Structure formats: C-alpha cells, structure tokens
Amino acid sequence: MERIVSSSKAASDQALRNRARMLISCPDRPGIVAAVSKFLFEHGANIVSSDQYTMDPAGGLFFIRIEFDLESLPERLSALEANFGAVAQQFEMNWKLSPASRKKRLAIFVSKEDHCLLELMWQWQAGDLDADIAVIVSNHPDMRPIAESFGVPYHHVPVTAETKAEAERRQIEIVEEAQADTVILARYMQIISPVFIERFRNRMINIHHSFLPAFVGGKPYAQAHNRGVKLIGATAHYVTEELDGGPIIEQDVQRVSHHDKVEDLKRIGRHIERIVLARAVVWHSEDRIIVHENKTVVFN
Amino acid sequence: MERIVSSSKAASDQALRNRARMLISCPDRPGIVAAVSKFLFEHGANIVSSDQYTMDPAGGLFFIRIEFDLESLPERLSALEANFGAVAQQFEMNWKLSPASRKKRLAIFVSKEDHCLLELMWQWQAGDLDADIAVIVSNHPDMRPIAESFGVPYHHVPVTAETKAEAERRQIEIVEEAQADTVILARYMQIISPVFIERFRNRMINIHHSFLPAFVGGKPYAQAHNRGVKLIGATAHYVTEELDGGPIIEQDVQRVSHHDKVEDLKRIGRHIERIVLARAVVWHSEDRIIVHENKTVVFN
Amino acid sequence: MERIVSSSKAASDQALRNRARMLISCPDRPGIVAAVSKFLFEHGANIVSSDQYTMDPAGGLFFIRIEFDLESLPERLSALEANFGAVAQQFEMNWKLSPASRKKRLAIFVSKEDHCLLELMWQWQAGDLDADIAVIVSNHPDMRPIAESFGVPYHHVPVTAETKAEAERRQIEIVEEAQADTVILARYMQIISPVFIERFRNRMINIHHSFLPAFVGGKPYAQAHNRGVKLIGATAHYVTEELDGGPIIEQDVQRVSHHDKVEDLKRIGRHIERIVLARAVVWHSEDRIIVHENKTVVFN
Amino acid sequence: MERIVSSSKAASDQALRNRARMLISCPDRPGIVAAVSKFLFEHGANIVSSDQYTMDPAGGLFFIRIEFDLESLPERLSALEANFGAVAQQFEMNWKLSPASRKKRLAIFVSKEDHCLLELMWQWQAGDLDADIAVIVSNHPDMRPIAESFGVPYHHVPVTAETKAEAERRQIEIVEEAQADTVILARYMQIISPVFIERFRNRMINIHHSFLPAFVGGKPYAQAHNRGVKLIGATAHYVTEELDGGPIIEQDVQRVSHHDKVEDLKRIGRHIERIVLARAVVWHSEDRIIVHENKTVVFN
C-alpha cells in the first residue's frame, strides 16, 4: 500500500512549481487591491484566484488570499519577497507568501482510535490532502501497523502522570527532527502544555468530538446523550491555552434520535470527526486560513 | 386570506373521523405488543402504523405509538378507553388515546418578531399543521393585523416589571377561555412563571435561537458570533423551570462563515427557527412525542 | 400587514446610496485585476468585496464581481461608466455596473399555489430580498388577496388555448407598464413563448419542482415517487427555449422515504421550492450571477 | 492491520446469539400484528424493536420488520420456522427469519478505485458493518495489497471483450466457493450479465456515481459538470437487468459550485459514494430492506 503518485498527478505537480499563495491582513483603506495587483502584474505574475474579506468596511480590517502563477517562481521567490516589503510597509500588512510546492509537513498525534488518522492517510494517498506526512506520534503502540503500511515513521512515546513533562520534551524533539511545521491532534487524548502550544501557535489543530462550545471537556458524547440533543457534532480548532477554546476552523453535525445510545453517538460521531478534521487540515495545508482574535477567516 | 378548506381536504377529514393514536410507555417485558395488538384486533381496529422503542432491552422501558382505524370510533371511544384499563393496569402503562379528529388547540405567544408566527399560520393554512389555532397573545400590538388576516383572535397583554404577575393571570385566563391545550412561545421574549409552566407541563413549546446547550440565555446570536462558530442553530423544547433546559424536541443548523455579522446570523437564524418550531408543533399536534426524564422520544 | 421600513433599514439604505457592483467577464490574461483596481482607486472608490473566478487558468475565461463604495456615486455614475469604456475595450470585457440603490423590479407570475409567492413576499417584507416587487400576474384570481395585503398591484390574465397569444401580449404589456426588469415564475404553470423568453433573456427565473435534470416536464413528484428516490429536490433556473433546460442557479434537496406518498412529496417539496427560489431571486437581485454557456457563475 | 475483535465486541456477539430478525410483507388486513406478536410471545420471545409500514391502508400492502430475543435461539430456530408456517399461510405472507449471528457473507467486486472498498473494510474493522467479508474480486491486480492487509482472499479475474463470458463463469465460481450470499459492486466498472443478476436478485448492490435517475450510464460526473448542477450525488441500488434502473436503497448529495471542474466533482463524489454505499451495505446486512415493485422499503 505504498503511495503511488500517478503520472497525471506528477504532471500537475510540475504545473504547481510556479504557483504561490499570499495571505494578507491589514487595516482597510482604499488602494490595497490596486497596489497588490499592480505589484504582481509588474512582476509578471498571473492571478489565478483571489478572495477578499473586509471586516467592517468603514475603518475595519482587510483580509485577502491571492493565488498566482509566476514563471520560474522558485528562482525568483526571494527577490519577490524582498520587493514586496515596500508595499507591505506602506499598508501595515501582516503577510505570508507560500509556494504551493513547499508543502506543509504534518506531525500527526494519535492515541487508540484510528478513524481520524486513517481518513487523513486515505485522503493523503488519494492526493486530496496536499501535504507531507512527516511523522506519527502516539502514547500507545496500537497504530504502528497503519503507519508502517503507509511508510510513515511512527514514534511511541508513553505518557504517565510522572513522565508527562519528559514525554513532551521527547515529542517536541521528534516533531522538530521530522521538520514538521504543523501538529495534528487526531483524537490524541492528552493535555498539551502551554510551552508546546506556544511553539505551534496557529499551527496545531485539534478535533473535539462535540459541537463547541457545547460539551467542552471530557466525555462529550455522554454529555450529549444526557442532554438529549437531536444533532451531534465535531469541531476542528487551533489549540490555545484555553481547553477547547481556540479559534474554530470547521464544524459539522449529524442527526441522531432517541434510539441512539452513547455507543451509537460515538459511532456516528466518528464519521463527523474524520470529515471535519480532514477539511480543516486540507484548508490549513492550502494556506486558506487567517486567525484573527480567536476566530478564523477561511477562504474556501 | 381566509382559510379555504379544499374539498379534498374535507374528504380526508372525513376519513380521519375513525382514526386514533395511542401513546404508551411502561416497563419492558415480553407480551406487551401481543396484548395491545390483540386488544385492538378484538375490538375491530386496524393498525395503520406502529412505531416502538425499547430503552435498554433487558429490564428497561418500552415506548410505543400506534395509529389505528376503527369503524364508528367517536361512538365507541369511551368504551374502548374503559376496556383498555385492564391491559394498561396489567403492564403498568402510562397511556393516552387521542382521536385524530380531536385537534390540539394552540395558543401562540409572540412579541415583535413575526417569522415564527407567520410560518405556523402558513403551514396551518396549507393544511400541513393539523391543529386549531385558538388564540394569539402578545405583549405588543404589532402582530394584530396578521392575526386578523387569518381570522384568529388576538389579545394584547402589555407586560411591565410591575404588572408582570397580573399580566400572566390575564394570559392564563385568555388561554383557558380559548380552551387551548397547548402554548407555543413563538419568539415570546418574556420569562414564564413556574405556575404557568406547571399548568402546561409538556404542553408548552419554546423556540430558542441557538443550538442548545450552547448559548443558553440572552443574545445567543451575539454569543455565537463572538465565539466564531461555523454553524448556527435553533432548538424547540418543552418549557421547564430551568431556563432553556427543558426536553429538546427538535434542532437544526445552518452553515455560516466569517462574512456573517450578528445581523446576518439573525437573518439566517430566522429561517432555522421557523422550520424547527413548525416541526415541533406538528409532531406535538400529531401525538408523536413522549417525554421521559427531560428527554423526548419522537416517533416521526 | 403594510410593509414597514424600520429606521435602521432606512439608515442602511442611505449608506447604500454610494455603493455599486460590477460584474465583468473577459478572456483571461495578466493584468486584469491590476487594471480594474487601479481604475477604481484612481476614481476614489473603496473596494468592499471582490470575488474572482478563472475558468481554466491557461488561456481561459476570467469572471469577477466587485462591490465598491464611492462618494457621490449617483452624480458620478455616468462619468465612471464612460471612463471605464477604455479599460473594458482593452481587455474585451463584458461588463455591467449597477448602483445598489437601483433595485431590480420584479414581476412575479403565479397560478394557484401560494407558497413560493408568500415566501418571496415575506422575505421582501423582512428586508432579506432587496428588490422592488412591481407587479403580480396570474392566470387565476386566487392570489389577489395576498397581493392586496402587501399593497402590490395584481393582474388576472386568464389563459386558454385560444387566447394564449393574446394573453401573453397582455402580460408583456403589464410587465412593461410596471417597468419590471425581471420575471419570476413562482410556480406559474404555463408555457412561456420564445418571444417572451428572448425579451427577458437571463432575467426570467423559474422554479422547477425536481432536482434537474431528473424529472423534466410535468408531474415531477409523481415521477419521483414512481422511481422510488430517497431525496427530492427543486431547481431554480433561468428560462430558455428548452423546457427545464436553462442555466441552473440553485438546487436543494430533502430526504424522503417509502412512507411518503405523492401528496407527501408535494408537501415536503413546497418547502424546498420556496427556499430555492428565494435564494435565486436574492442572488439575481444583488447582481451575483453571470451566465456563461448555459451555466451560471454565482458569487455568493 | 489484522482485524482485532475487542473483548467488548466479543461480549456483544455473545449477547446477539439469541437475537433474530423477521421481515414480512403481505396483503393488509386487521390482525396481522396481533397474530405475529402473539406467536412470538407464546414462544417466549421478547420483541426488541418493531417497525411497520402499510402502503395504502385500505386494501393495500403490509410490511413489518421485527427484532426479537429468544433464549436458546440457535437450538430452537428450525422449530420456530416450522411453527410460523401456519401464521404465514393464513395471512399469505412473504417472510424471512434471520438469526443476527448468521452474518451476511459479502463478495466485493472492485476495479481500480479504492475508496469504496476501503470504506467498507474500515467500517467492517471498526465493527460498524456487521457482516463477513468473504472475498474480493477484481478485473485488475491493484487492490490486492489492501485485501491482504485485511486478511481477505483476493481474486484477480481479468476481463476482456473476448473472455467476458468465461470471466463471469469464473467470478460466479469464486463467489460460490466463498459461500458469499451478497455481491457488492464497489465501483466495479463492468457490465454484469442477466444470468449473474438473476442469481443474486435483490442481493447484488451497486454504487452509481450520480443522483439517479439523472446521469444514467457512463461518465456521470462529466455529464453533471456539463449540465452545471449545483449538487452532485451518488445512488446505491440493487442491480436489475435495466442499467442503473434497479430499486434505489440510498442516495445522498453534496454541494458543488462553478469552481469545481470534472476532477473536483470526482474527488467530492468519492466521499459521497463511499458513505452511500456503506449505508446500503449495512442496512442490507442487518435485514432492513424489503424490495417491492422496483422500490425499497428501508426500516432504519
């Protein structure tokens, strides 16, 4: 079950060599789009797609995602970035330019449930998740066969109350050795320390098995069953210091009924969790998300 | 815009003359279905539909809804009820037998927003809500023209901090004079007292403009906007003494995005609220709901 | 039930005085966004939102919708349009500039079913449909009370096999006298002639009560029931000479089951029809749709 | 990635030893439910769930699914079946009694796309698909590693225009040797002959990658793209001699837009296909489906 990149996929990778994405946020004022598009045009770029959002038109904030093609992008990238500095300064921009060929490198954390991991692996193998899966880390040995079947390194780092701090140091080491830039908590059932969170600010995604902010914390399906809700959900969010309180990236729900016991909610929930997490990881990997004041702007 | 009952609708009313519904709950044990269906068969009834639910098969609870046709039902109803007593006693049943022709009589409470009221009136006029709208009560005069256009009595009962208790006495009087058996809070923005709630236990339905238990209490759309959720919802529930804490009848959601301001959430939410409330009122009117320990069993 | 424009709504109308929308399509090539945004910036406009789509990046077609604010727009509109001619010519653009304050004027055609008409009237009254309802035309007298309750002129134009051509001449007269620019077929159960269609090319919207292209033509719910589908749908589309074959604007579906008879499908379908038609009319009214080769690009 | 049956799963298998399901259809008349429930009660069975549907109450057809527990079911099954003959004859029933422990044995047919196969294997491994996967058959060698990783026999039977008949004989042989009772066409891109279809009447399930009856036949996503639909779908159905014309078991859809090229529709469609096929296979495996006149009654 090695990953087979079909020739058409390879051809398409070739085409993406010259594609890049810009994410910009800045105070709104006239002329931003004109300045950015003039800059790109004068450098020979062709804008392939552009999506913009102005929060509160009068004196608010401006967000834009631009995708463009530029001949010989890899060779011209640093010059492009250097030149854009002047435009960025003029408009007080926060900005990021990412070549499509420089894929995000994911470190996936799991415990004993396999469904979120398997969905990510399946979408990655199908070419739907355009990222590199750098490493899988778990506090249990159970998922190793899956990791091996996809040819991805697997690290078992046991976590106990006593070894927690040491275990996390080891985890961070593993993530850095794998040169991962993004951490995915794919039903990883351990609390992450503020140090680790800070290091992966806006680059650590968790899937919570409820429709947040309902049912924060442990055993959300039991809570949902107890309250008698008619829909259950899942929420993918960036991790912050507040438990289940970070910026929400995506949510979805599924209908349930009085027939469904807690076990049924878990089963139905697994399907929502894997879909919701996969969407969030795909969007993050394609630079579609800007975080602003504990909320996300998602260009999709 | 008087209500026009088409001839086909009248014909169908005729057919429903002999239809009845039973709602039964009791401790589970073998033989319940056999006993009930034997009883109905021996009385000449034909079961048209039947839906059953056993909570925890071993030693749990049994719930059933049966719809049946019986020749000359109106004349034979009291005898049927009397005879069923023995079966009910044997199995320790909570039960209710309702002829389909004895429609629920609704008292609809509104404040200044018209969308939930209009949806109920529209579904009622279209023949989709099989109930009688006995009276509309409001703490504002605004909805009177709507009530009048549908030929339904409208009572304006102003509510202030000082007159609250007196106003509620007046409301209960109006509801009783109208012989209403069910109270619908169709975006009625006032707290109901425990006395009123107790009198309409499991017969008072509220629409809350959030996906409960998220965003209990006031300004749920502002709360939702503040949290940055990606779906907003509405919840219809029976009213209990705990604010927004009663048994949930129905919920639904709609997708929103970073584009949507609080005003947009309210606009999108209005569509969910009216659909969710209408479903709950239809199910209640058709005797499809059993309340058990702050949850609902909905046979639909 | 007169339409009440709240003061906040009036204030917002004031704010929209200076807002305009541009819809542009042209062959794709570098520099389009730069040229248009430079043009707007130099004329003092502030781009409030912009959404772009490139069909086939290499040598394909470019579509964009831009919303902008410009001080004293009404006074400067003709100059703006005249000046834009040069940009448009350079890039071979099809383009349209519409001030937000110049609302679409709708002529709504109905037969005997009221649900689509009522939904449009309700959304219009709630301020969710930003258009003027110029006139309602029907081949039956039934909807007159609804029209009158909203203060909209109603014309009853009977249609028989013999008077069909004459009736349509009368309809076109009525639409033109009302200065309507858009025709909405809100369950109008008559065939429209090619002459009428041509005159309202891409400005005549029909709601078809099936998920097209399934169940073209008459009695789609009976067809759906007969085929045993598990979802039923509705489709809003621009009318072309091919029956139910025009560019699709919006579709949606609802789950059904073996329980549902043709009558139930009709009842469930009414809810989908009204929602789908209302969405399409709102998008058309806000200049969000470009038609290209029997398909729509919808910026929403 | 061997299948690991957890102990709780094993315990639950033990509990299901004594569970059985009955599917009955017959002409409607009073007393059916009474007779069946009396029969089960007298034999000591406890009805766990029961779902009934009457098509056209006056003189129509009656369908019921009953799930019951009976002490020592395996030992008493044949006697039960023999005794039920009298009841069945009296009411002219079509009926089937299936012990929950006698699992359906599935033969899964695939070509080169893995997503439907993987979803079935994943749900099977998670315990959500309560069936035995007896064998995987393909006209290509590509899926062998997947089959092997799950420990399921894989047969590669190449199909060419010349060898078609011979290949099918071989396929039927393989299916029979594996004692499979159900054939799942999980994106198997070959026409099945009437002989094979007849042998697995109402036991051969296909997933068609469109919302039938739209886009029958080849390249449905290209057809959908060409028509400009706003939702795409998938349909699971029993296979009959009419191409894509058999009884529909389940359908679902997903929203698409003008942005989506044929390749995107295929990608989005894969997610719908696998979910829809898995639901249909689960329902078939749990004896929840009765076929009647090219439609399905699904008790779920």
Side-chain angles (χ1 to χ4, degrees), chain C residues 20-26 32 36 40 49-53 62-68 81 84 88 92-99 104 202 238 283-291 297-300, chain D residues 258:
Chain C
R21 305 154 188 152
M22 287 189 87
L23 283 176
I24 302 172
S25 61
C26 63
I32 307 172
V36 175
L40 289 172
S49 85
S50 130
D51 200 352
Q52 152 190 351
Y53 163 59
F62 175 92
F63 303 86
I64 196 166
R65 179 184 186 270
I66 297 177
E67 216 167 328
F68 63 87
E81 291 187 309
F84 192 71
E92 302 169 71
M93 291 174 173
N94 282 315
W95 64 287
K96 199 174 61 163
L97 204 168
S98 314
K104 297 276 180 293
N202 295 342
Y238 287 115
W283 295 339
H284 177 89
S285 300
E286 297 177 351
D287 297 300
R288 297 185 176 281
I289 312 175
I290 299 179
V291 175
V297 173
V298 180
F299 295 111
N300 65 334
Chain D
H258 58 269

Side-chain angles (χ1 to χ4, degrees), chain D residues 48-253:
Chain D
V48 171
S49 85
S50 132
D51 198 353
Q52 153 190 349
Y53 163 59
T54 309
M55 183 187 294
D56 187 6
L61 277 162
F62 174 93
F63 302 86
I64 196 167
R65 178 184 187 270
I66 296 177
E67 215 167 328
F68 62 87
D69 287 340
L70 175 60
E71 198 62 35
S72 308
L73 179 81
E75 295 76 20
R76 300 171 57 191
L77 188 64
S78 8
L80 200 72
E81 291 188 308
N83 294 349
F84 191 70
V87 179
Q89 196 170 9
Q90 183 192 350
F91 291 92
E92 303 168 73
M93 291 173 173
N94 282 315
W95 64 288
K96 197 174 61 161
L97 205 168
S98 313
S101 59
R102 191 191 297 157
K103 296 184 181 183
K104 298 275 180 295
R105 291 183 61 77
L106 314 182
I108 303 179
F109 279 52
V110 285
S111 288
K112 290 189 143 187
E113 298 224 50
D114 64 3
H115 55 286
C116 286
L117 174 63
L118 278 171
E119 182 71 23
L120 292 174
M121 300 312 287
W122 178 77
Q123 293 211 12
W124 171 69
Q125 187 167 257
D128 295 350
L129 168 56
D130 193 27
D132 290 329
I133 310 231
V135 66
I136 297 171
V137 179
S138 179
N139 54 334
H140 294 285
D142 310 51
M143 301 293 112
R144 184 180 298 277
I146 295 177
E148 286 178 352
S149 77
F150 285 94
V152 174
Y154 186 86
H155 291 271
H156 173 206
V157 183
V159 178
T160 64
E162 299 76 41
T163 65
K164 201 164 167 36
E166 173 52 28
E168 199 174 272
R169 268 191 296 277
R170 178 69 193 118
Q171 289 169 345
I172 295 176
E173 243 175 58
I174 292 167
V175 170
E176 297 197 330
E177 276 163 19
Q179 294 180 291
D181 48 50
T182 302
V183 173
I184 311 298
L185 306 179
R187 295 301 307 273
Y188 179 67
M189 309 306 284
Q190 297 283 331
I191 301 291
I192 306 295
S193 83
V195 171
F196 198 177
I197 291 171
E198 177 55 39
R199 198 176 290 213
F200 283 84
R201 176 76 61 203
N202 296 341
R203 295 184 293 125
M204 182 183 282
I205 298 174
N206 181 47
I207 180 74
H208 183 73
H209 38 317
S210 87
F211 183 77
L212 289 174
F215 313 130
V216 165
K219 301 195 181 300
Y221 290 126
Q223 291 184 56
H225 185 260
N226 197 44
R227 182 62 186 92
V229 294
K230 300 298 185 184
L231 299 167
I232 58 167
T235 304
H237 64 94
Y238 286 116
V239 178
T240 62
E241 287 74 7
E242 186 190 342
L243 180 66
D244 301 327
I248 293 171
I249 302 170
E250 172 65 341
Q251 306 187 286
D252 216 336
V253 295

Side-chain angles (χ1 to χ4, degrees), chain A:
Chain A
M1 226 172 3
E2 294 295 287
R3 194 186 182 202
I4 298 144
V5 175
S6 70
S7 56
S8 76
K9 177 79 183 136
S12 130
D13 279 356
Q14 176 60 19
L16 293 183
R17 250 190 108 251
N18 292 326
R19 181 156 298 178
R21 305 154 187 152
M22 286 190 88
L23 283 176
I24 302 172
S25 62
C26 63
D28 187 34
R29 64 187 226 218
I32 307 172
V33 178
V36 175
S37 53
K38 178 164 172 280
F39 173 86
L40 289 172
F41 176 59
E42 289 177 354
H43 283 75
N46 190 25
I47 296 178
V48 170
S49 86
S50 132
D51 199 353
Q52 151 189 353
Y53 163 59
T54 308
M55 183 186 294
D56 187 6
L61 277 163
F62 175 92
F63 302 86
I64 196 166
R65 179 185 188 268
I66 297 177
E67 217 168 326
F68 62 86
D69 287 340
L70 174 60
E71 198 62 35
S72 309
L73 178 81
E75 295 76 20
R76 299 173 57 192
L77 188 62
S78 6
L80 200 71
E81 291 187 309
N83 295 348
F84 192 70
V87 178
Q89 197 171 7
Q90 183 191 353
F91 290 93
E92 303 169 72
M93 291 174 174
N94 282 316
W95 64 287
K96 199 174 61 163
L97 205 168
S98 314
S101 57
R102 192 192 296 157
K103 296 184 181 182
K104 298 275 179 295
R105 290 183 62 77
L106 315 181
I108 304 179
F109 279 53
V110 285
S111 287
K112 291 188 142 189
E113 298 224 51
D114 63 2
H115 55 287
C116 286
L117 174 63
L118 278 170
E119 181 72 22
L120 292 174
M121 301 312 288
W122 177 78
Q123 293 210 13
W124 171 67
Q125 187 167 258
D128 294 351
L129 168 54
D130 192 27
D132 289 329
I133 310 230
V135 66
I136 297 171
V137 179
S138 179
N139 54 335
H140 293 286
D142 310 51
M143 301 293 111
R144 184 180 298 278
I146 294 177
E148 287 177 351
S149 79
F150 285 94
V152 174
Y154 185 87
H155 292 270
H156 173 207
V157 183
V159 178
T160 65
E162 298 77 40
T163 64
K164 202 166 165 34
E166 172 52 28
E168 199 174 272
R169 269 191 296 277
R170 178 69 193 119
Q171 289 169 347
I172 294 176
E173 244 176 56
I174 291 167
V175 170
E176 297 198 330
E177 275 163 19
Q179 295 180 290
D181 48 49
T182 301
V183 173
I184 311 297
L185 306 179
R187 296 300 307 272
Y188 179 67
M189 309 307 282
Q190 297 284 329
I191 301 291
I192 306 295
S193 83
V195 171
F196 198 177
I197 291 171
E198 177 55 39
R199 198 175 290 213
F200 284 84
R201 177 76 61 203
N202 297 339
R203 295 183 293 126
M204 182 183 282
I205 297 174
N206 182 47
I207 180 75
H208 183 73
H209 37 317
S210 88
F211 183 78
L212 289 175
F215 312 131
V216 165
K219 300 195 180 301
Y221 290 126
Q223 291 184 57
H225 186 261
N226 196 45
R227 181 61 187 92
V229 294
K230 299 299 184 185
L231 299 166
I232 57 167
T235 304
H237 63 93
Y238 286 115
V239 178
T240 62
E241 287 75 6
E242 185 189 343
L243 181 65
D244 302 328
I248 294 171
I249 302 169
E250 171 65 343
Q251 305 187 286
D252 215 336
V253 295
Q254 192 86 20
R255 192 159 283 278
V256 297
S257 84
H258 58 268
H259 279 105
D260 298 306
K261 303 185 209 326
V262 176
E263 282 311 305
D264 298 311
L265 300 191
K266 286 181 185 174
R267 177 177 48 78
I268 296 166
R270 283 199 295 264
H271 294 268
I272 321 171
E273 292 165 27
R274 58 186 178 131
I275 295 301
V276 166
L277 178 61
R279 281 188 205 140
V281 175
V282 165
W283 296 338
H284 177 90
S285 299
E286 297 177 353
D287 296 299
R288 296 185 176 280
I289 311 175
I290 298 179
V291 175
H292 174 71
E293 290 182 353
N294 212 42
K295 296 192 208 178
T296 60
V297 173
V298 180
F299 295 112
N300 65 334

Side-chain angles (χ1 to χ4, degrees), chain B residues 54-87:
Chain B
T54 308
M55 183 186 294
D56 187 6
L61 277 162
F62 174 92
F63 303 86
I64 196 165
R65 180 184 186 269
I66 297 177
E67 216 166 328
F68 62 86
D69 288 339
L70 175 60
E71 197 62 36
S72 308
L73 178 81
E75 295 77 21
R76 301 171 57 192
L77 189 63
S78 4
L80 200 71
E81 291 187 309
N83 295 348
F84 191 70
V87 178

